[in-house]
Amino acid sequence: MSDYDFESYMKDPELTAGIECFKAEDWKGAFDHYLTSSMNGNPEAQVRLGGLFYYGRGTEADPKKALMWYRKAAVAGNAAAQNEVGVMFHLGNGTQRSDAKAFEWLKASANQGYAQAFYNLGTMYERGDGVPTDYKQAVELYAQAADRGVVQAAYCLAHMYHNGYGCAKDVGKAAKLCIEAADNGHPDACYDTGVLYLEGDGVERSYQKALDYFLKARDLDVADAEKRIAFVKGEMAKGIR
């Protein structure tokens, strides 16, 4: 919303005290300060308080209370809270599942440019959750999320290009996106990038680079990475690079 006064909300002493407690991992202190600020109607505190209830920090985990506070902030125009409300309706977490309400809130968040909301909307279009399956729309939304730094979106977009879903098949672009996600620490992207280099799929074949990415995948606890590592080392021992 155009009248959402972020700077003013952030000047609230109770909120700033809560943020400092949160940084120090003083969850109870953060909870108390956020609660005071939230009761005074500060949506920036409300979205943070919702997070504490969601994850059970400084209080018992309570998804219904998390949703209540997220929703107060969302109604006030907080884009992050709108995204969280959308996700909770989509999952049926703390409320009855409703993809229609999920879409409504996620769309409101995306309209404010919130990166994660673009990705979440993309998954709804790709899977046909609450909306007709539309791969082209999913690609557009994943691209917007990826451009805003959402690593998971880059990984999903890589698969869309690799398979030609909603876009012209482009294995080179798919590989570039997958590598980007891998280099930003996405576990499955590390594994898939290893496969790309192993097979020369969209990239020049390289057993060394395949090994490097499979090792990263193993360090990130990806299943089957160890088997791939053993295979590549065996090939390299034969003199294959």
Side-chain angles (χ1 to χ4, degrees), residues 88-117:
M88 293 188 79
F89 272 114
H90 180 58
L91 297 176
N93 193 358
T95 185
Q96 183 175 350
R97 178 173 176 170
S98 171
D99 282 333
K101 290 182 179 178
F103 184 85
E104 177 186 344
W105 284 111
L106 291 173
K107 185 67 174 177
S109 181
N111 284 343
Q112 295 199 72
Y114 193 73
Q116 195 69 31

PDB file of all heavy atoms in Angstrom, residues 88-117:
ATOM      1  N   MET A  88       0.590 -19.794   4.619  1.00  0.00           N
ATOM      2  CA  MET A  88      -0.124 -20.543   5.649  1.00  0.00           C
ATOM      3  C   MET A  88      -1.482 -21.032   5.150  1.00  0.00           C
ATOM      4  O   MET A  88      -1.911 -22.143   5.457  1.00  0.00           O
ATOM      5  CB  MET A  88      -0.241 -19.718   6.922  1.00  0.00           C
ATOM      6  CG  MET A  88       1.115 -19.479   7.588  1.00  0.00           C
ATOM      7  SD  MET A  88       1.030 -18.709   9.219  1.00  0.00           S
ATOM      8  CE  MET A  88       0.588 -20.129  10.242  1.00  0.00           C
ATOM      9  N   PHE A  89      -2.159 -20.227   4.355  1.00  0.00           N
ATOM     10  CA  PHE A  89      -3.414 -20.688   3.759  1.00  0.00           C
ATOM     11  C   PHE A  89      -3.156 -21.802   2.745  1.00  0.00           C
ATOM     12  O   PHE A  89      -3.934 -22.753   2.631  1.00  0.00           O
ATOM     13  CB  PHE A  89      -4.163 -19.533   3.093  1.00  0.00           C
ATOM     14  CG  PHE A  89      -5.080 -18.782   4.018  1.00  0.00           C
ATOM     15  CD1 PHE A  89      -4.842 -17.456   4.354  1.00  0.00           C
ATOM     16  CD2 PHE A  89      -6.186 -19.412   4.575  1.00  0.00           C
ATOM     17  CE1 PHE A  89      -5.690 -16.766   5.211  1.00  0.00           C
ATOM     18  CE2 PHE A  89      -7.043 -18.734   5.437  1.00  0.00           C
ATOM     19  CZ  PHE A  89      -6.791 -17.410   5.759  1.00  0.00           C
ATOM     20  N   HIS A  90      -2.059 -21.679   2.017  1.00  0.00           N
ATOM     21  CA  HIS A  90      -1.725 -22.700   1.022  1.00  0.00           C
ATOM     22  C   HIS A  90      -1.427 -24.047   1.685  1.00  0.00           C
ATOM     23  O   HIS A  90      -1.809 -25.107   1.164  1.00  0.00           O
ATOM     24  CB  HIS A  90      -0.525 -22.242   0.203  1.00  0.00           C
ATOM     25  CG  HIS A  90      -0.088 -23.216  -0.841  1.00  0.00           C
ATOM     26  ND1 HIS A  90      -0.923 -23.660  -1.841  1.00  0.00           N
ATOM     27  CD2 HIS A  90       1.098 -23.844  -1.045  1.00  0.00           C
ATOM     28  CE1 HIS A  90      -0.271 -24.517  -2.614  1.00  0.00           C
ATOM     29  NE2 HIS A  90       0.957 -24.646  -2.143  1.00  0.00           N
ATOM     30  N   LEU A  91      -0.766 -24.005   2.823  1.00  0.00           N
ATOM     31  CA  LEU A  91      -0.394 -25.236   3.522  1.00  0.00           C
ATOM     32  C   LEU A  91      -1.484 -25.718   4.480  1.00  0.00           C
ATOM     33  O   LEU A  91      -1.431 -26.855   4.955  1.00  0.00           O
ATOM     34  CB  LEU A  91       0.909 -25.011   4.314  1.00  0.00           C
ATOM     35  CG  LEU A  91       2.153 -24.669   3.488  1.00  0.00           C
ATOM     36  CD1 LEU A  91       3.314 -24.378   4.425  1.00  0.00           C
ATOM     37  CD2 LEU A  91       2.504 -25.810   2.530  1.00  0.00           C
ATOM     38  N   GLY A  92      -2.434 -24.836   4.780  1.00  0.00           N
ATOM     39  CA  GLY A  92      -3.429 -25.184   5.791  1.00  0.00           C
ATOM     40  C   GLY A  92      -2.796 -25.225   7.166  1.00  0.00           C
ATOM     41  O   GLY A  92      -3.132 -26.052   8.015  1.00  0.00           O
ATOM     42  N   ASN A  93      -1.865 -24.326   7.403  1.00  0.00           N
ATOM     43  CA  ASN A  93      -1.119 -24.281   8.660  1.00  0.00           C
ATOM     44  C   ASN A  93      -1.723 -23.215   9.577  1.00  0.00           C
ATOM     45  O   ASN A  93      -1.635 -22.026   9.296  1.00  0.00           O
ATOM     46  CB  ASN A  93       0.353 -23.954   8.372  1.00  0.00           C
ATOM     47  CG  ASN A  93       1.246 -24.200   9.568  1.00  0.00           C
ATOM     48  OD1 ASN A  93       0.777 -24.575  10.642  1.00  0.00           O
ATOM     49  ND2 ASN A  93       2.538 -24.024   9.379  1.00  0.00           N
ATOM     50  N   GLY A  94      -2.365 -23.655  10.649  1.00  0.00           N
ATOM     51  CA  GLY A  94      -3.004 -22.724  11.570  1.00  0.00           C
ATOM     52  C   GLY A  94      -4.384 -22.303  11.121  1.00  0.00           C
ATOM     53  O   GLY A  94      -5.034 -21.478  11.765  1.00  0.00           O
ATOM     54  N   THR A  95      -4.824 -22.871  10.014  1.00  0.00           N
ATOM     55  CA  THR A  95      -6.132 -22.523   9.456  1.00  0.00           C
ATOM     56  C   THR A  95      -6.544 -23.596   8.465  1.00  0.00           C
ATOM     57  O   THR A  95      -5.742 -24.475   8.111  1.00  0.00           O
ATOM     58  CB  THR A  95      -6.073 -21.162   8.735  1.00  0.00           C
ATOM     59  OG1 THR A  95      -7.382 -20.795   8.298  1.00  0.00           O
ATOM     60  CG2 THR A  95      -5.143 -21.214   7.536  1.00  0.00           C
ATOM     61  N   GLN A  96      -7.781 -23.541   8.009  1.00  0.00           N
ATOM     62  CA  GLN A  96      -8.212 -24.459   6.960  1.00  0.00           C
ATOM     63  C   GLN A  96      -7.542 -24.060   5.648  1.00  0.00           C
ATOM     64  O   GLN A  96      -7.462 -22.882   5.318  1.00  0.00           O
ATOM     65  CB  GLN A  96      -9.735 -24.408   6.803  1.00  0.00           C
ATOM     66  CG  GLN A  96     -10.284 -25.397   5.787  1.00  0.00           C
ATOM     67  CD  GLN A  96     -11.806 -25.398   5.766  1.00  0.00           C
ATOM     68  OE1 GLN A  96     -12.438 -24.805   6.628  1.00  0.00           O
ATOM     69  NE2 GLN A  96     -12.379 -26.059   4.782  1.00  0.00           N
ATOM     70  N   ARG A  97      -7.077 -25.045   4.903  1.00  0.00           N
ATOM     71  CA  ARG A  97      -6.383 -24.742   3.653  1.00  0.00           C
ATOM     72  C   ARG A  97      -7.326 -24.070   2.656  1.00  0.00           C
ATOM     73  O   ARG A  97      -8.481 -24.469   2.510  1.00  0.00           O
ATOM     74  CB  ARG A  97      -5.822 -26.025   3.035  1.00  0.00           C
ATOM     75  CG  ARG A  97      -5.124 -25.774   1.709  1.00  0.00           C
ATOM     76  CD  ARG A  97      -4.429 -26.979   1.156  1.00  0.00           C
ATOM     77  NE  ARG A  97      -3.867 -26.683  -0.150  1.00  0.00           N
ATOM     78  CZ  ARG A  97      -3.034 -27.473  -0.818  1.00  0.00           C
ATOM     79  NH1 ARG A  97      -2.669 -28.622  -0.283  1.00  0.00           N
ATOM     80  NH2 ARG A  97      -2.582 -27.120  -1.995  1.00  0.00           N
ATOM     81  N   SER A  98      -6.811 -23.045   1.998  1.00  0.00           N
ATOM     82  CA  SER A  98      -7.580 -22.353   0.965  1.00  0.00           C
ATOM     83  C   SER A  98      -6.611 -21.784  -0.062  1.00  0.00           C
ATOM     84  O   SER A  98      -5.941 -20.777   0.199  1.00  0.00           O
ATOM     85  CB  SER A  98      -8.428 -21.226   1.559  1.00  0.00           C
ATOM     86  OG  SER A  98      -9.003 -20.439   0.521  1.00  0.00           O
ATOM     87  N   ASP A  99      -6.515 -22.433  -1.209  1.00  0.00           N
ATOM     88  CA  ASP A  99      -5.639 -21.917  -2.255  1.00  0.00           C
ATOM     89  C   ASP A  99      -6.145 -20.597  -2.819  1.00  0.00           C
ATOM     90  O   ASP A  99      -5.369 -19.772  -3.293  1.00  0.00           O
ATOM     91  CB  ASP A  99      -5.490 -22.946  -3.372  1.00  0.00           C
ATOM     92  CG  ASP A  99      -4.525 -24.070  -3.002  1.00  0.00           C
ATOM     93  OD1 ASP A  99      -3.626 -23.828  -2.184  1.00  0.00           O
ATOM     94  OD2 ASP A  99      -4.677 -25.183  -3.531  1.00  0.00           O
ATOM     95  N   ALA A 100      -7.458 -20.391  -2.758  1.00  0.00           N
ATOM     96  CA  ALA A 100      -8.023 -19.127  -3.243  1.00  0.00           C
ATOM     97  C   ALA A 100      -7.522 -17.966  -2.380  1.00  0.00           C
ATOM     98  O   ALA A 100      -7.097 -16.925  -2.898  1.00  0.00           O
ATOM     99  CB  ALA A 100      -9.546 -19.178  -3.223  1.00  0.00           C
ATOM    100  N   LYS A 101      -7.567 -18.146  -1.049  1.00  0.00           N
ATOM    101  CA  LYS A 101      -7.073 -17.097  -0.152  1.00  0.00           C
ATOM    102  C   LYS A 101      -5.557 -16.980  -0.248  1.00  0.00           C
ATOM    103  O   LYS A 101      -5.000 -15.875  -0.170  1.00  0.00           O
ATOM    104  CB  LYS A 101      -7.508 -17.393   1.278  1.00  0.00           C
ATOM    105  CG  LYS A 101      -9.001 -17.225   1.515  1.00  0.00           C
ATOM    106  CD  LYS A 101      -9.368 -17.492   2.961  1.00  0.00           C
ATOM    107  CE  LYS A 101     -10.865 -17.293   3.183  1.00  0.00           C
ATOM    108  NZ  LYS A 101     -11.266 -17.586   4.589  1.00  0.00           N
ATOM    109  N   ALA A 102      -4.894 -18.112  -0.410  1.00  0.00           N
ATOM    110  CA  ALA A 102      -3.440 -18.088  -0.559  1.00  0.00           C
ATOM    111  C   ALA A 102      -3.051 -17.235  -1.760  1.00  0.00           C
ATOM    112  O   ALA A 102      -2.173 -16.364  -1.672  1.00  0.00           O
ATOM    113  CB  ALA A 102      -2.904 -19.510  -0.725  1.00  0.00           C
ATOM    114  N   PHE A 103      -3.721 -17.479  -2.883  1.00  0.00           N
ATOM    115  CA  PHE A 103      -3.420 -16.735  -4.096  1.00  0.00           C
ATOM    116  C   PHE A 103      -3.670 -15.240  -3.898  1.00  0.00           C
ATOM    117  O   PHE A 103      -2.869 -14.401  -4.322  1.00  0.00           O
ATOM    118  CB  PHE A 103      -4.272 -17.257  -5.257  1.00  0.00           C
ATOM    119  CG  PHE A 103      -3.957 -16.595  -6.570  1.00  0.00           C
ATOM    120  CD1 PHE A 103      -2.923 -17.056  -7.358  1.00  0.00           C
ATOM    121  CD2 PHE A 103      -4.689 -15.492  -7.007  1.00  0.00           C
ATOM    122  CE1 PHE A 103      -2.622 -16.436  -8.569  1.00  0.00           C
ATOM    123  CE2 PHE A 103      -4.399 -14.877  -8.202  1.00  0.00           C
ATOM    124  CZ  PHE A 103      -3.363 -15.346  -8.988  1.00  0.00           C
ATOM    125  N   GLU A 104      -4.767 -14.918  -3.245  1.00  0.00           N
ATOM    126  CA  GLU A 104      -5.121 -13.515  -3.015  1.00  0.00           C
ATOM    127  C   GLU A 104      -4.026 -12.787  -2.238  1.00  0.00           C
ATOM    128  O   GLU A 104      -3.617 -11.678  -2.608  1.00  0.00           O
ATOM    129  CB  GLU A 104      -6.441 -13.452  -2.247  1.00  0.00           C
ATOM    130  CG  GLU A 104      -6.891 -12.042  -1.870  1.00  0.00           C
ATOM    131  CD  GLU A 104      -8.130 -12.045  -0.994  1.00  0.00           C
ATOM    132  OE1 GLU A 104      -8.815 -13.088  -0.916  1.00  0.00           O
ATOM    133  OE2 GLU A 104      -8.414 -10.993  -0.385  1.00  0.00           O
ATOM    134  N   TRP A 105      -3.543 -13.411  -1.171  1.00  0.00           N
ATOM    135  CA  TRP A 105      -2.533 -12.765  -0.338  1.00  0.00           C
ATOM    136  C   TRP A 105      -1.167 -12.736  -1.027  1.00  0.00           C
ATOM    137  O   TRP A 105      -0.438 -11.737  -0.943  1.00  0.00           O
ATOM    138  CB  TRP A 105      -2.434 -13.452   1.023  1.00  0.00           C
ATOM    139  CG  TRP A 105      -3.561 -13.093   1.939  1.00  0.00           C
ATOM    140  CD1 TRP A 105      -4.575 -13.897   2.368  1.00  0.00           C
ATOM    141  CD2 TRP A 105      -3.803 -11.808   2.531  1.00  0.00           C
ATOM    142  NE1 TRP A 105      -5.430 -13.205   3.182  1.00  0.00           N
ATOM    143  CE2 TRP A 105      -4.980 -11.922   3.308  1.00  0.00           C
ATOM    144  CE3 TRP A 105      -3.147 -10.579   2.483  1.00  0.00           C
ATOM    145  CZ2 TRP A 105      -5.500 -10.851   4.033  1.00  0.00           C
ATOM    146  CZ3 TRP A 105      -3.669  -9.512   3.193  1.00  0.00           C
ATOM    147  CH2 TRP A 105      -4.829  -9.653   3.959  1.00  0.00           C
ATOM    148  N   LEU A 106      -0.827 -13.815  -1.707  1.00  0.00           N
ATOM    149  CA  LEU A 106       0.453 -13.846  -2.403  1.00  0.00           C
ATOM    150  C   LEU A 106       0.483 -12.819  -3.535  1.00  0.00           C
ATOM    151  O   LEU A 106       1.506 -12.174  -3.777  1.00  0.00           O
ATOM    152  CB  LEU A 106       0.724 -15.243  -2.954  1.00  0.00           C
ATOM    153  CG  LEU A 106       1.003 -16.325  -1.905  1.00  0.00           C
ATOM    154  CD1 LEU A 106       1.085 -17.696  -2.566  1.00  0.00           C
ATOM    155  CD2 LEU A 106       2.286 -16.028  -1.133  1.00  0.00           C
ATOM    156  N   LYS A 107      -0.643 -12.663  -4.204  1.00  0.00           N
ATOM    157  CA  LYS A 107      -0.725 -11.674  -5.280  1.00  0.00           C
ATOM    158  C   LYS A 107      -0.550 -10.266  -4.718  1.00  0.00           C
ATOM    159  O   LYS A 107       0.153  -9.430  -5.311  1.00  0.00           O
ATOM    160  CB  LYS A 107      -2.086 -11.789  -5.983  1.00  0.00           C
ATOM    161  CG  LYS A 107      -2.244 -10.891  -7.197  1.00  0.00           C
ATOM    162  CD  LYS A 107      -1.340 -11.306  -8.325  1.00  0.00           C
ATOM    163  CE  LYS A 107      -1.609 -10.511  -9.577  1.00  0.00           C
ATOM    164  NZ  LYS A 107      -0.671 -10.860 -10.670  1.00  0.00           N
ATOM    165  N   ALA A 108      -1.159 -10.000  -3.559  1.00  0.00           N
ATOM    166  CA  ALA A 108      -1.020  -8.683  -2.934  1.00  0.00           C
ATOM    167  C   ALA A 108       0.439  -8.419  -2.584  1.00  0.00           C
ATOM    168  O   ALA A 108       0.950  -7.301  -2.769  1.00  0.00           O
ATOM    169  CB  ALA A 108      -1.890  -8.612  -1.676  1.00  0.00           C
ATOM    170  N   SER A 109       1.130  -9.443  -2.094  1.00  0.00           N
ATOM    171  CA  SER A 109       2.540  -9.303  -1.739  1.00  0.00           C
ATOM    172  C   SER A 109       3.401  -9.075  -2.978  1.00  0.00           C
ATOM    173  O   SER A 109       4.273  -8.196  -3.003  1.00  0.00           O
ATOM    174  CB  SER A 109       3.009 -10.559  -0.989  1.00  0.00           C
ATOM    175  OG  SER A 109       4.362 -10.449  -0.610  1.00  0.00           O
ATOM    176  N   ALA A 110       3.154  -9.857  -4.020  1.00  0.00           N
ATOM    177  CA  ALA A 110       3.916  -9.704  -5.260  1.00  0.00           C
ATOM    178  C   ALA A 110       3.690  -8.338  -5.889  1.00  0.00           C
ATOM    179  O   ALA A 110       4.607  -7.751  -6.470  1.00  0.00           O
ATOM    180  CB  ALA A 110       3.538 -10.807  -6.244  1.00  0.00           C
ATOM    181  N   ASN A 111       2.482  -7.820  -5.764  1.00  0.00           N
ATOM    182  CA  ASN A 111       2.177  -6.496  -6.316  1.00  0.00           C
ATOM    183  C   ASN A 111       3.013  -5.408  -5.663  1.00  0.00           C
ATOM    184  O   ASN A 111       3.178  -4.318  -6.223  1.00  0.00           O
ATOM    185  CB  ASN A 111       0.694  -6.178  -6.146  1.00  0.00           C
ATOM    186  CG  ASN A 111      -0.180  -6.922  -7.144  1.00  0.00           C
ATOM    187  OD1 ASN A 111       0.312  -7.427  -8.155  1.00  0.00           O
ATOM    188  ND2 ASN A 111      -1.474  -7.011  -6.868  1.00  0.00           N
ATOM    189  N   GLN A 112       3.542  -5.705  -4.473  1.00  0.00           N
ATOM    190  CA  GLN A 112       4.434  -4.759  -3.803  1.00  0.00           C
ATOM    191  C   GLN A 112       5.899  -5.069  -4.082  1.00  0.00           C
ATOM    192  O   GLN A 112       6.792  -4.441  -3.528  1.00  0.00           O
ATOM    193  CB  GLN A 112       4.176  -4.785  -2.290  1.00  0.00           C
ATOM    194  CG  GLN A 112       2.799  -4.307  -1.876  1.00  0.00           C
ATOM    195  CD  GLN A 112       2.762  -3.925  -0.409  1.00  0.00           C
ATOM    196  OE1 GLN A 112       3.314  -2.900  -0.002  1.00  0.00           O
ATOM    197  NE2 GLN A 112       2.115  -4.763   0.398  1.00  0.00           N
ATOM    198  N   GLY A 113       6.136  -6.084  -4.939  1.00  0.00           N
ATOM    199  CA  GLY A 113       7.501  -6.412  -5.324  1.00  0.00           C
ATOM    200  C   GLY A 113       8.220  -7.354  -4.380  1.00  0.00           C
ATOM    201  O   GLY A 113       9.451  -7.488  -4.457  1.00  0.00           O
ATOM    202  N   TYR A 114       7.476  -8.047  -3.511  1.00  0.00           N
ATOM    203  CA  TYR A 114       8.117  -8.942  -2.539  1.00  0.00           C
ATOM    204  C   TYR A 114       8.614 -10.199  -3.255  1.00  0.00           C
ATOM    205  O   TYR A 114       7.834 -10.959  -3.831  1.00  0.00           O
ATOM    206  CB  TYR A 114       7.141  -9.306  -1.423  1.00  0.00           C
ATOM    207  CG  TYR A 114       7.812  -9.959  -0.238  1.00  0.00           C
ATOM    208  CD1 TYR A 114       8.601  -9.218   0.632  1.00  0.00           C
ATOM    209  CD2 TYR A 114       7.651 -11.315   0.011  1.00  0.00           C
ATOM    210  CE1 TYR A 114       9.215  -9.800   1.723  1.00  0.00           C
ATOM    211  CE2 TYR A 114       8.258 -11.918   1.102  1.00  0.00           C
ATOM    212  CZ  TYR A 114       9.038 -11.152   1.955  1.00  0.00           C
ATOM    213  OH  TYR A 114       9.654 -11.745   3.031  1.00  0.00           O
ATOM    214  N   ALA A 115       9.916 -10.435  -3.198  1.00  0.00           N
ATOM    215  CA  ALA A 115      10.558 -11.467  -4.002  1.00  0.00           C
ATOM    216  C   ALA A 115       9.994 -12.864  -3.792  1.00  0.00           C
ATOM    217  O   ALA A 115       9.679 -13.581  -4.749  1.00  0.00           O
ATOM    218  CB  ALA A 115      12.062 -11.463  -3.729  1.00  0.00           C
ATOM    219  N   GLN A 116       9.873 -13.283  -2.541  1.00  0.00           N
ATOM    220  CA  GLN A 116       9.438 -14.647  -2.258  1.00  0.00           C
ATOM    221  C   GLN A 116       8.022 -14.913  -2.753  1.00  0.00           C
ATOM    222  O   GLN A 116       7.680 -16.044  -3.112  1.00  0.00           O
ATOM    223  CB  GLN A 116       9.527 -14.909  -0.751  1.00  0.00           C
ATOM    224  CG  GLN A 116       9.455 -16.379  -0.376  1.00  0.00           C
ATOM    225  CD  GLN A 116      10.675 -17.170  -0.814  1.00  0.00           C
ATOM    226  OE1 GLN A 116      11.780 -16.642  -0.869  1.00  0.00           O
ATOM    227  NE2 GLN A 116      10.471 -18.441  -1.140  1.00  0.00           N
ATOM    228  N   ALA A 117       7.193 -13.876  -2.795  1.00  0.00           N
ATOM    229  CA  ALA A 117       5.819 -14.044  -3.259  1.00  0.00           C
ATOM    230  C   ALA A 117       5.775 -14.406  -4.736  1.00  0.00           C
ATOM    231  O   ALA A 117       4.920 -15.191  -5.161  1.00  0.00           O
ATOM    232  CB  ALA A 117       5.014 -12.770  -3.002  1.00  0.00           C
TER     233      ALA A 117
END
